[in-house]
Each structure stands twice: as structure tokens, then as C-alpha cells.
Amino acid sequence: MSVNTASNGPGRLLLMPGERVVSRSKSVEFNLDGNNLPPKLCKSASGEVYLTDRRFIFLSKESKDLHSFSADFGSISDVQIEQPLFGANNVKSTIRAEPGGGWDGTAKAKLVFSAGGAIQFGKHLRHMQQGGAPPVELPPTLR
């Protein structure tokens, strides 16, 4: 898990060599709750979420402090997909900090999908977090 390492500034995705995007969702709200979080991670942010063959990446559209948040599949556990009666579907998980990632400990992440896509994203995330093969890559026009 790392903060502000997956972007070249607000809203600009930066991938590792050989990494590929397999899913993307717009209009997502990102929340992180836990102990020992730096102030820039203690507020919600709106943006886009990407699922790659190695990690998930959230890109903020409006935050001056939080440009990106990424977590590799090894640092994610307890993935839950929620479909509330009222409100947008969401995906929750527990994320463990990695050395040099910008914070220590574990935190609860919540991604709220106001424009849809939570079920598919959550299923893909859970599948890949458990060691499954990535789904088919998105065509370049849909990225």
C-alpha cells in the first residue's frame, strides 16, 4: 500500500512496467479509517478506481494532498461487497500498510460506487486477491 506513488499529479495514472489495467470505474468515493493514518488519508475523496493485474489504484480528482492510493493484492484482506437498501453499492476491505508506504498498521477501506460497477469490481478484486488470474484486459478505448 502506498500513497501518491501511482500518479503523475491529480487524475493522472502511473503504471509500473508491464502492469495492465483490467477494470476501471468512475464516480467512486474513497474512505480510509484506521489508527496512525496521516491527515491526508483521514478524509474522503472522489475520483476513479482502477484494478490492474497487480493492485488496485484510486486516483483522486479533487484532493490537493491525496493524488493516489494503491494497494497490492498481498496487502488486502477481508473483501466485502455491500448492496445497501438505500444508497450506492460499495466494496470494503482491510488494508495492511507496507514499509515506506506513508503510514503504519492496518486500515478499513471503503469504495462507494455512485455510478455502478461495485459488484463486478468487488468480485474481480476478491478473485485476484485470492491468487486468481486477472480478467481480460480492457480495450484501450475504455481506459
Side-chain angles (χ1 to χ4, degrees):
M1 180 275 22
S2 60
V3 178
N4 293 338
T5 61
S7 68
N8 304 3
R12 296 178 60 200
L13 181 64
L14 178 64
L15 298 174
M16 294 185 276
E19 185 175 23
R20 58 190 176 98
V21 173
V22 294
S23 177
R24 172 186 172 204
S25 295
K26 297 180 178 182
S27 301
V28 176
E29 183 178 319
F30 174 75
N31 296 291
L32 200 61
D33 184 33
N35 297 330
N36 303 321
L37 291 175
K40 63 184 166 191
L41 292 178
C42 292
K43 45 191 159 182
S44 66
S46 296
E48 298 180 4
V49 66
Y50 294 82
L51 187 64
T52 75
D53 56 346
R54 300 179 189 179
R55 60 191 171 150
F56 93 81
I57 302 167
F58 172 78
L59 289 183
S60 176
K61 289 207 174 218
E62 55 197 42
S63 176
K64 293 179 181 175
D65 295 326
L66 177 65
H67 299 287
S68 69
F69 179 91
S70 65
D72 63 40
F73 299 129
S75 65
I76 302 170
S77 62
D78 193 28
V79 177
Q80 301 172 18
I81 303 167
E82 295 187 348
Q83 296 177 286
L85 189 56
F86 299 104
N89 293 345
N90 61 75
V91 176
K92 293 181 178 178
S93 64
T94 301
I95 299 178
R96 185 180 67 252
E98 61 186 38
W103 60 287
D104 296 314
T106 61
K108 299 285 185 183
K110 181 177 180 181
L111 297 165
V112 179
F113 293 74
S114 60
I119 306 304
Q120 179 181 4
F121 179 88
K123 286 180 179 180
H124 287 322
L125 177 60
R126 186 182 293 149
H127 173 75
M128 294 181 65
Q129 183 264 328
Q130 294 172 349
V136 176
E137 184 175 3
L138 282 176
T141 57
L142 297 177
R143 291 186 191 164

